[in-house]
Amino acid sequence: MNIYSRMSEQIFINTSDFETRVAIVDQGVLQELHIERDSQKGVVGNVYVGKITRILPNLQSAFVNIGLDRNAFMHVGDLQETRIARQNSEALPKIEKLFFEGQTLLVQVIKDPIKDKGARLSNQINIAGRIMVYMPYNKHIGISQRIEEESERERLKEWVQNLRPPEDKGGYIIRTFAETCTEADLKRDMYYLHLQWEAIQNQAKNAKAPKLVYEELSLKHRVMRDFANDDTESIEIDSKTQFNELVEWCSLYTPAVTNKLSPYTASRPIFDLNNIEEDIEIALSQRVELPSGGYLIFDSTEALTSIDVNTGSFLGSRNFNDTILKTNLEASLEIARQLRLRNIGGIIIIDFIDMSDESHKEQVLCSLKNALARDRVRTTVNDFSSFGLVEMTRKRAHSSLSSMLMEPCPTCEGRGSVKTAKTIVYQIMREIQREAKLFDPKEFRLILSPSVLDLFLDEESHYFTALSDAIGKPISLEVDDLYNQEDYDIILC
């Protein structure tokens, strides 16, 4: 059995009019969480007829209007012309030689808009089926690396070559699901993909840019296509209407999954099972506890995510090195799980507890790589650096869980801390001194938060009195319980 089998995997689907949530649970532990909101629906996989609004030769990129709030972004490295040039060992093309401003073209979203960045595009179109991915502009036939047996790889490749119609100029990527499929299954999937591509071409033929011509499946349908497999025990959905719709859809496109579907009818909310709601809250917090008493601290910035491993209250039963090893091994498993749950992408720096034993480092690194092997998203892991850090990357295609469910604190504005009440008091007094030189009011009236007002009346009262005497104006104080500590107003009366 390969490392990707999940013999005890269960899928729970929670639906509502505004949101769909999918939890993938293995051996009673939440392993993956996927959320789709109607108001924040992702666009990865969507195909558009777009219009180039600007070409940036210095960045070898172009901005493309595909009808979203922000123009999308296309880099020369993502183009099919670049892929062909690399295959032929030719000089890479220049984007200004390929396109011009105002040009319309067929593009596909490969990365969702994230924060202030627009969606990322490619003109290499890929249409995903359950068993294969069709590439209409690429003749290559590729096979998932997770299909390891050489005879199986050759058999599948031969099937695809024989089934492909003579007029078909496209290529295919054979997915992991193909490992247990029949030739008839491949033929059905190929037919479905050709129908999809034909529909896209027909839609695009007379479309006026910007125009959506193909929309990726909704989350619940992607679960049936991409996640459910022979090792999935059950798929429960808490809506009878959605259950009936999925059964009908699966009977057409993923018949092997149909008998795994069942409606969830218990009175207890479906996400209360296996502590799913509780695990979601933990995935939104900075600190994650480890079973032995250690803990992880997650800190994310625009550039990278850092993860700090700590022993916490864990003392161990043998020597200190064994304690460190046990904590780091636990951390490696939980880090891989949290990266999936939080959908963290980009550069990730892990600060494991320092280990002097090289064999211990190898064990921890091996444990981390094995735990990451089940990730559906591509990851790369480097060895321990000279500073004892592990650097890794995880492909970022969608928004993280925190960016979807959380927003910067309005009090600290995302800094993670606020100015002290004393800092605010001194800031206010400096501002009054400046304004007293520029204006000549009868009185200064301050509206303050409770904590700052208390400091003015108590610890800093002598400075407050001296300031009033120095400017020769009365200063009155007024509290507003709704003000945060950094909020204040200075009113000139």
Side-chain angles (χ1 to χ4, degrees), residues 56-57 59-62 73-84 86 92-99 120-124:
L56 307 172
L59 297 177
Q60 282 300 290
S61 303
F73 179 84
M74 184 169 67
H75 187 265
V76 72
D78 298 319
L79 302 178
Q80 56 178 318
E81 290 85 355
T82 299
R83 174 187 57 78
I84 293 170
R86 284 172 175 157
L92 298 185
K94 300 292 185 182
I95 199 164
E96 64 270 24
K97 302 292 185 182
L98 298 173
F99 307 112
R120 187 158 181 165
L121 305 176
S122 172
N123 65 351
Q124 301 185 72

Side-chain angles (χ1 to χ4, degrees), residues 309-373:
V309 183
N310 299 275
T311 55
S313 61
F314 181 44
L315 300 176
S317 56
R318 298 170 64 187
N319 60 49
F320 188 58
N321 287 338
D322 290 336
T323 298
I324 292 174
L325 176 61
K326 180 174 174 60
T327 304
N328 282 338
L329 288 172
E330 286 184 355
S332 66
L333 301 178
E334 187 61 29
I335 286 169
R337 174 174 172 261
Q338 289 295 325
L339 291 178
R340 292 192 298 271
L341 288 181
R342 296 168 186 244
N343 197 21
I344 293 174
I347 300 171
I348 300 158
I349 308 295
I350 306 171
D351 186 7
F352 286 105
I353 304 167
D354 289 340
M355 295 172 288
S356 55
D357 191 323
E358 291 298 321
S359 67
H360 286 184
K361 290 183 180 180
E362 291 177 12
Q363 287 183 59
V364 171
L365 200 62
C366 182
S367 175
L368 177 64
K369 289 179 178 178
N370 287 339
L372 289 169

Side-chain angles (χ1 to χ4, degrees), residues 22-33:
V22 175
I24 299 178
V25 174
D26 189 8
Q27 298 181 2
V29 178
L30 179 64
Q31 296 293 338
E32 293 183 50
L33 177 70

Side-chain angles (χ1 to χ4, degrees), residues 441-445 464 468 471-476:
K442 293 181 180 179
E443 178 188 357
F444 287 90
R445 182 156 61 93
F464 175 59
S468 181
I471 63 175
K473 307 287 182 181
I475 305 173
S476 61

Side-chain angles (χ1 to χ4, degrees), residues 370-421:
N370 287 339
L372 289 169
R374 69 175 299 171
D375 203 327
R376 302 179 201 274
V377 177
R378 187 175 70 247
T379 60
T380 59
V381 182
N382 293 335
D383 292 339
F384 279 89
S385 72
S386 58
F387 297 108
L389 305 173
V390 172
E391 299 174 7
M392 64 168 288
T393 62
R394 187 172 186 271
K395 184 179 177 182
R396 176 163 32 202
H398 302 280
S399 299
S400 66
L401 182 67
S402 62
S403 65
M404 176 178 282
L405 303 186
M406 302 180 76
E407 63 183 11
C409 167
T411 300
C412 71
E413 298 178 344
R415 300 193 307 268
S417 58
V418 296
K419 294 176 181 176
T420 65

Side-chain angles (χ1 to χ4, degrees), residues 47-83:
V47 179
Y48 297 84
V49 174
K51 184 174 185 178
I52 295 178
T53 59
R54 189 180 177 192
I55 293 177
L56 307 172
N58 57 328
L59 297 177
Q60 282 300 290
S61 303
F63 285 115
V64 184
N65 179 12
I66 58 173
L68 301 182
D69 293 340
R70 290 191 299 273
N71 282 341
F73 179 84
M74 184 169 67
H75 187 265
V76 72
D78 298 319
L79 302 178
Q80 56 178 318
E81 290 85 355
T82 299
R83 174 187 57 78

